Amino acid sequence: MARNQPGQTQLKETILVVDDDDSVRRGLVWTLNSDFRVLEAASRKEAVKLLQLEHIDVVVSDLCLPPQLEDISEGLAIIEVARDLDPPVQVVVITGIDSKRAALEAVKRGAYGFFEKPLDAAEVLHIVNQAARMRRLEIENARLRDELVGALGFGRLIGSSQSLEKTLMQARAVASTNATVLIVGENGTGKEMLARAIHEESQRRDASFIAVSCAALPETLIESELFGHERGAFTSATHARMGRFELADGGTLFLDEIVELSPSVQVKLLRVLQERTFERVGGTKTLSVDIRLIAASNRDLETEVAGEHFRRDLFYRLNVVPLVLPPLRERREDVPGLAAHFAAKAAEKHGRATPQLDPTLIDSLHDYDWPGNVRELASVIERAVILGDGKQIEVAAALGVDPARVSVPRGALPDTAAEYGAAPTPGSLDDAMVGHITEALQRTRGRVEGRHGAAKLLGINPHTLRSRMRKLGIDWARFRDLAS
């Protein structure tokens, strides 16, 4: 049975009851059956299968499930799978062991409510009703979001520029395969959105899409987060835990900012890509997974390999199908369409009428360099909608532009020259950029790439810096001559 889509007509919400104790499970079914459609499962495996096949609104699950009845890892895994769905499924958990510790872990994973055995039927019914109402709100929010974004899959990525279309054409070609994909792009260009689109257009669309930001996790936790751990593997490992690879089994695992992985984790990741097997931290049992890996980085991995910050063999494994997301300044023709989309989205969010985009003020958006890319544009437009009068958006106020001049002020860009001790340069934006880049090249003696290069100093991609220098007529070789 195909899983129902959010918003599809349904007479009753569906509750999935998960417990290996037949008497407890039947009691819950009897309590909930009059108000809800109730499905049953006796294990994590059965529950995950139903979550993938059925439209489930709320899961009521014991934390201690077979085959590991001595700990709560199986129940916690159900919470993570349910909350990773889009929109997330609400989870109410029940247990009879070490309730304080179990409650803390369940809440950390996103559980809505928690009960100790023996259960009070009226209390259970009350909380499940609340969870079902929350689920209805999440479904409605998802429906509104999809109406604004457009179709699922590649319809999420708005734009018709040649550079974006080239990337999307390559992404469509690879989506139907199981090939590993490497997405490269600056921060804010939409790398995770492209990864989700590939997943949604693939044969794995009905399975989980699990996203992990490698930069957001400390080095001491990333290995456990990816591969899981066994009870007692380290001081705080009070129970066994499934890692993201196990949770993504059958689906897609997205590793963002993969360059941040430590050398030891890079080695383990290489093995998974080669053999599709691994062990949990502190474990000896070899586990197998069937996943499609999509990795992403805001840095040039070839440069990182050359600088010995990233394994060459892992790079080759990841770089099967490279996709480059262009920065917004290289697809400026997409700015008006994106601005209109974000204006409608912000107006709906803040309860305002959809504003008109003034063509004159839109020019200031088109001329701005967008160091934060699409993410920055979305924030600026939301700010402009909030500052506007409901009839038009205040683009000038949002960017700090003088409406009489309709140009982007120096203050809208990072004051890089001041950081390097150079005096502010009056004149055009190109003049200011020449000054910033020249100062950086002088300080780095003409070196563009690497940890001590001008690109690192300016906070941009080396390829982007070279392209900009060619456009501005800057010969970086002469700075090397000065250093010799």
Side-chain angles (χ1 to χ4, degrees):
M1 181 185 300
R3 189 175 172 220
N4 296 335
Q5 296 300 316
Q8 186 170 330
T9 302
Q10 188 172 303
L11 294 177
K12 289 184 176 182
E13 280 104 347
T14 299
I15 311 299
L16 174 59
V17 174
V18 190
D19 200 307
D20 69 315
D21 187 323
D22 289 343
S23 62
V24 173
R25 194 169 67 247
R26 288 170 187 159
L28 284 167
V29 172
W30 182 86
T31 298
L32 301 170
N33 201 44
S34 59
D35 292 346
F36 303 98
R37 172 180 175 244
V38 184
L39 301 177
E40 300 178 52
S43 67
R44 188 260 310 167
K45 186 176 181 180
E46 291 178 14
V48 170
K49 184 176 181 180
L50 285 171
L51 280 166
Q52 293 172 349
L53 294 177
E54 296 277 351
H55 175 94
I56 307 296
D57 295 289
V58 180
V59 175
V60 180
S61 176
D62 197 333
L63 285 178
C64 296
L65 296 167
Q68 301 187 54
L69 291 171
E70 71 279 2
D71 62 41
I72 60 177
S73 61
E74 294 292 300
L76 292 176
I78 291 176
I79 298 174
E80 292 187 339
V81 171
R83 298 303 295 167
D84 276 332
L85 293 173
D86 186 18
V89 172
Q90 296 293 338
V91 182
V92 176
V93 297
I94 54 178
T95 189
I97 63 149
D98 196 2
S99 59
K100 290 183 179 179
R101 178 176 65 86
L104 179 61
E105 289 295 333
V107 169
K108 281 183 180 179
R109 309 297 170 87
Y112 183 84
F114 183 89
F115 294 100
E116 296 180 51
K117 295 179 180 179
L119 306 176
D120 182 294
E123 188 178 8
V124 170
L125 187 59
H126 174 68
I127 293 298
V128 171
N129 268 301
Q130 288 186 328
R133 282 196 292 272
M134 179 63 71
R135 169 70 171 168
R136 287 196 293 272
L137 288 173
E138 289 176 332
I139 289 174
E140 179 62 15
N141 287 339
R143 183 187 66 80
L144 291 171
R145 181 190 65 208
D146 288 342
E147 285 179 358
L148 290 170
V149 171
L152 294 178
F154 295 109
R156 293 181 183 274
L157 291 109
I158 298 172
S160 57
S161 61
Q162 186 175 355
S163 57
L164 180 62
E165 279 299 319
K166 179 181 177 182
T167 299
L168 294 184
M169 181 178 67
Q170 295 171 336
R172 290 186 183 97
V174 75
S176 60
T177 73
N178 283 318
T180 300
V181 177
L182 175 62
I183 304 174
V184 179
E186 296 180 11
N187 288 332
T189 51
K191 296 187 290 294
E192 182 172 346
M193 187 174 290
L194 179 58
R196 284 186 180 275
I198 293 171
H199 170 75
E200 289 165 357
E201 296 290 335
S202 74
Q203 296 179 350
R204 298 173 180 267
R205 66 178 67 89
D206 293 327
S208 298
F209 176 89
I210 305 294
V212 181
S213 173
C214 301
L217 293 167
E219 186 176 337
T220 54
L221 294 180
I222 187 66
E223 187 173 1
S224 171
E225 186 71 21
L226 292 178
F227 305 109
H229 62 252
E230 297 293 348
R231 183 175 182 179
F234 42 85
T235 305
S236 59
T238 55
H239 63 277
R241 182 186 178 189
M242 298 175 70
R244 296 305 178 109
F245 271 93
E246 288 177 81
L247 293 174
D249 193 17
T252 302
L253 179 64
F254 174 62
L255 298 182
D256 196 12
E257 305 306 344
I258 196 165
V259 74
E260 300 296 336
L261 291 179
S262 67
S264 62
V265 178
Q266 289 182 35
V267 172
K268 200 164 185 177
L269 177 58
L270 179 62
R271 181 193 169 192
V272 178
L273 291 176
Q274 290 174 333
E275 304 175 15
R276 302 291 170 175
T277 61
F278 65 94
E279 290 85 35
R280 291 179 181 173
V281 176
T284 57
K285 181 180 178 181
T286 299
L287 303 173
S288 300
V289 288
D290 171 27
I291 59 109
R292 201 261 186 85
L293 183 70
I294 301 178
S297 176
N298 64 354
R299 285 186 268 172
D300 184 354
L301 284 187
E302 289 189 78
T303 301
E304 297 299 318
V305 169
E308 299 184 353
H309 305 304
F310 199 81
R311 291 184 64 95
R312 186 178 300 275
D313 47 5
L314 177 56
F315 168 69
Y316 291 144
R317 282 284 178 179
L318 294 173
N319 200 43
V320 177
V321 180
L323 298 176
V324 178
L325 271 175
L328 193 53
R329 62 185 170 275
E330 293 180 8
R331 55 184 188 105
R332 295 180 190 272
E333 61 267 44
D334 290 336
V335 170
L338 285 165
H341 162 71
F342 290 131
K345 190 174 181 179
E348 189 278 330
K349 177 181 177 181
H350 297 288
R352 300 195 177 185
T354 302
Q356 297 297 315
L357 300 181
D358 187 290
T360 305
L361 292 179
I362 277 292
D363 287 342
S364 61
L365 294 178
H366 189 274
D367 293 339
Y368 182 51
D369 214 26
W370 299 111
N373 293 295
V374 179
R375 185 183 296 125
E376 183 184 10
L377 174 62
S379 297
V380 167
I381 294 299
E382 182 173 4
R383 183 160 65 248
V385 169
I386 293 171
L387 296 175
D389 58 7
K391 296 179 181 179
Q392 65 179 23
I393 64 173
E394 287 292 339
V395 173
L399 274 175
V401 178
D402 180 358
R405 294 177 59 238
V406 192
S407 62
V408 181
R410 283 182 42 75
L413 294 172
D415 193 3
T416 316
E419 181 181 339
Y420 302 140
T425 307
S428 70
L429 183 58
D430 281 355
D431 290 339
M433 291 172 62
V434 168
H436 296 334
I437 294 172
T438 298
E439 179 69 21
L441 289 169
Q442 287 173 343
R443 291 176 64 87
T444 61
R445 298 185 176 184
R447 184 171 182 176
V448 176
E449 297 187 12
R451 181 172 295 182
H452 304 295
K456 181 74 172 179
L457 201 60
L458 293 171
I460 62 176
N461 187 284
H463 296 305
T464 302
L465 178 56
R466 285 197 177 93
S467 174
R468 192 166 300 172
M469 286 190 293
R470 282 193 293 268
K471 179 181 177 182
L472 296 171
I474 301 174
D475 179 13
W476 59 91
R478 67 185 178 90
F479 294 99
R480 293 180 180 175
D481 295 338
L482 291 173
S484 59

